[in-house]
Amino acid sequence: MPLRKHRCRFKSYEHCFTAAEAVDWLHELLRCSQNFGPEVTRKQTVQLLKKFLKNHVIEDIKGKWGEEDFEDNRHLYRFPPSSPLKPYPKKPPNQKDVIKFPEWNDLPPGTSQENIPVRPVVMNSEMWYKRHSIAIGEVPACRLVHRRQLTEANVEEIWKSMTLSYLQKIFGLDSLEEVLDVKLVNSKFIIHNVYSVSKQGVVILDDKSKELPHWVLSAMKCLANWPNCSDLKQPMYLGFEKDVFKTIADYYGHLKEPLLTFHLFDAFVSVLGLLQKEKVAVEAFQICCLLLPPENRRKLQLLMRMMARICLNKEMPPLCDGFGTRTLMVQTFSRCILCSKDEVDLDELLAARLVTFLMDNYQEILKVPLALQTSIEERVAHLRRVQFQKSYPEVYQERFPTPESAALLFPEKPKPKPQLLMWALKKPFQPFQRTRSFRM
């Protein structure tokens, strides 16, 4: 933002700008940005500057901030002397207590090289095994290990921890504390969203009371398959499709919570910073959508499929006179998809950008990330195999023999020599000899 000298009430102020200059500059920046686009209005830019003023990104010329009283006028503003950004917390590296084993040349305290107490040691097999194990590093410390089975709770914890670890790696953060509350992540939701799906990849709910109402589902099928509405029994009239669309919009608009939930708001907004790398952003969206409650994920899947089909349907009549179909979809459903708990802090521009990206990539985003699923399944299978091996070593050895034990059980049989070769050794080849009959 360019800064210059301004005069106000017979007084000069250095390094400041007017509200109108801020709106002009930021509006042009948002219109040219890949994350927003030319559809950004001047009114939306003023709303964004109100958030900046409330959160002390800017302040008025007298140093006041904290309220959304920013208006498009000649009032003077400036940047605060210190940045309001909060850096992501960085956890210090885990300093593990390294157990230092005594060297063979180390002397006990209080002894010298000249006078070393020597006492005879009876070296039996057990003592030799202990010393040998310590010498080669097989015994790091003496501790009691309790064997336990891999329970369902353990499997759920593995799914949760590895999923969050993948998400943290994609974000490039040292911690997810600033993005989401890890305690609110439900591992059962992740497992259900991965395995309880139909052939089309849509989540199947166990509790049918959380399903979409039948009339809403019929209305969505009607518009998604327009004009071939197989479920429609009543006759259609002029403007019928607009009334059906309004019915769907009213239902989603009265949801108590947005589909992406309040506690995942910061996580999904953080993905917007990755949109320049589309493949990485899609992968981040995939994992974030796995954290949703199954009923939210199902409603989101059905809604995005309907929105995408309507936008691609050339036979669909205009659903609104003032907007195009794509713009209407984004403005109608952006708030019911993404919204913060504090409505004052809602950023409509970010919500619109997120919904637009969802519409363009919904088929990939709402798929289960195969690499993550395979990695977790292999981890669980490995732990179960190791646990079985520790609990039942004899049975494991019988079922999964080592190459050495397999060689003892199934010795290699000598290969028989070919019969042709044996015959050749007994009767060597003899050259052809003429007989008298040939001369006759």
Side-chain angles (χ1 to χ4, degrees):
M1 176 66 199
L3 306 176
R4 62 186 181 88
K5 181 178 179 180
H6 289 82
R7 291 183 60 87
C8 180
R9 297 181 180 179
F10 306 103
K11 189 175 181 180
S12 299
Y13 298 93
E14 299 286 346
H15 307 292
C16 58
F17 53 89
T18 65
E21 291 173 348
V23 176
D24 293 338
W25 184 85
L26 185 58
H27 186 216
E28 183 63 25
L29 178 69
L30 296 178
R31 287 173 57 87
C32 299
S33 174
Q34 295 180 354
N35 294 333
F36 296 96
E39 298 179 354
V40 178
T41 63
R42 191 176 183 87
K43 182 179 178 181
Q44 291 174 327
T45 306
V46 173
Q47 291 177 352
L48 183 59
L49 286 167
K50 287 182 178 181
K51 314 303 180 196
F52 287 169
L53 180 60
K54 181 179 180 180
N55 293 279
H56 205 195
V57 179
I58 59 176
E59 62 183 16
D60 73 355
I61 203 62
K62 296 181 181 180
K64 295 181 180 180
W65 60 278
E67 297 181 1
E68 296 190 7
D69 55 354
F70 185 93
E71 296 181 2
D72 192 354
N73 52 24
R74 301 293 300 173
H75 194 74
L76 295 181
Y77 291 91
R78 65 187 181 190
F79 292 108
S82 60
S83 174
L85 294 179
K86 298 179 182 179
Y88 287 114
K90 294 185 178 180
K91 292 184 177 180
N94 296 329
Q95 298 179 355
K96 298 182 180 180
D97 297 333
V98 180
I99 301 177
K100 184 178 182 300
F101 292 97
E103 300 290 344
W104 296 114
N105 298 327
D106 292 348
L107 300 177
T111 59
S112 61
Q113 186 69 27
E114 290 79 11
N115 185 17
I116 301 178
V118 179
R119 123 184 122 170
V121 178
V122 179
M123 184 64 70
N124 53 23
S125 60
E126 183 179 0
M127 182 65 68
W128 182 88
Y129 176 75
K130 288 184 178 180
R131 290 194 174 187
H132 177 71
S133 300
I134 294 176
I136 65 176
E138 287 184 353
V139 184
C142 296
R143 59 181 180 177
L144 184 62
V145 179
H146 298 278
R147 292 181 180 176
R148 59 191 181 94
Q149 298 294 332
L150 196 64
T151 63
E152 184 178 354
N154 300 140
V155 176
E156 293 176 356
E157 185 61 30
I158 293 173
W159 272 93
K160 177 179 177 179
S161 60
M162 292 190 67
T163 301
L164 295 178
S165 177
Y166 265 64
L167 184 61
Q168 180 177 339
K169 183 179 179 181
I170 293 175
F171 282 153
L173 303 177
D174 296 324
S175 173
L176 291 175
E177 295 178 357
E178 290 292 327
V179 177
L180 57 87
D181 189 352
V182 178
K183 297 179 181 179
L184 298 179
V185 176
N186 193 326
S187 57
K188 295 182 182 295
F189 292 169
I190 303 175
I191 298 175
H192 188 101
N193 291 332
V194 171
Y195 293 108
S196 299
V197 294
S198 64
K199 294 181 179 180
Q200 293 75 24
V202 181
V203 175
I204 300 175
L205 300 181
D206 296 331
D207 188 358
K208 300 303 179 182
S209 63
K210 298 180 180 180
E211 181 63 88
L212 278 170
H214 176 72
W215 54 272
V216 176
L217 194 58
S218 298
M220 296 177 68
K221 289 182 179 180
C222 175
L223 292 186
N225 300 319
W226 186 273
N228 302 319
C229 307
S230 57
D231 294 343
L232 197 60
K233 297 181 180 179
Q234 66 270 21
M236 292 185 293
Y237 52 86
L238 185 62
F240 175 80
E241 66 283 350
K242 295 181 180 179
D243 292 341
V244 175
F245 178 77
K246 186 176 182 300
T247 301
I248 301 171
D250 289 342
Y251 171 80
Y252 277 93
H254 287 84
L255 294 177
K256 296 181 179 179
E257 188 180 25
L259 296 178
L260 300 184
T261 69
F262 288 134
H263 82 273
L264 292 177
F265 174 81
D266 292 331
F268 280 102
V269 171
S270 300
V271 181
L272 293 176
L274 306 173
L275 291 186
Q276 294 181 354
K277 301 178 181 179
E278 183 174 334
K279 185 177 180 180
V280 178
V282 169
E283 189 175 0
F285 268 120
Q286 284 180 336
I287 299 179
C288 287
C289 289
L290 282 182
L291 309 181
L292 295 173
E295 58 271 17
N296 289 41
R297 182 178 172 90
R298 176 175 172 82
K299 292 177 182 178
L300 179 65
Q301 288 175 321
L302 296 176
L303 179 61
M304 298 309 303
R305 289 176 63 182
M306 183 201 72
M307 293 169 61
R309 289 187 179 184
I310 291 177
C311 292
L312 296 176
N313 191 354
K314 298 181 180 180
E315 299 183 12
M316 174 66 68
L319 298 175
C320 184
D321 298 333
F323 298 96
T325 303
R326 183 180 177 86
T327 304
L328 177 65
M329 294 295 153
V330 174
Q331 293 188 0
T332 302
F333 296 107
S334 60
R335 187 181 180 279
C336 70
I337 294 177
L338 180 69
C339 176
S340 64
K341 193 170 185 179
D342 187 1
E343 295 186 5
V344 179
D345 294 336
L346 172 64
D347 195 332
E348 297 178 359
L349 298 177
L350 292 177
R353 178 56 180 163
L354 183 141
V355 174
T356 302
F357 188 80
L358 277 176
M359 289 178 58
D360 295 338
N361 304 274
Y362 81 97
Q363 291 182 341
E364 289 295 326
I365 289 175
L366 296 177
K367 283 183 179 179
V368 176
L370 185 59
L372 174 63
Q373 180 182 355
T374 304
S375 177
I376 297 177
E377 289 176 348
E378 290 178 352
R379 175 64 176 169
V380 173
H382 170 73
L383 293 177
R384 283 176 173 164
R385 185 167 57 250
V386 171
Q387 186 62 38
F388 179 79
Q389 181 181 4
K390 290 181 178 179
S391 302
Y392 309 99
E394 297 84 4
V395 179
Y396 183 86
Q397 188 174 5
E398 292 179 1
R399 293 187 180 180
F400 308 100
T402 60
E404 293 79 7
S405 60
L408 295 176
L409 293 174
F410 309 103
E412 186 177 0
K413 297 181 179 180
K415 297 181 180 180
K417 296 182 178 180
Q419 296 295 330
L420 180 62
L421 181 61
M422 298 294 294
W423 177 83
L425 291 176
K426 291 180 180 179
K427 296 182 179 181
F429 176 79
Q430 297 179 358
F432 176 78
Q433 298 181 359
R434 289 185 175 182
T435 63
R436 180 172 296 182
S437 59
F438 281 94
R439 296 195 216 107
M440 298 293 291

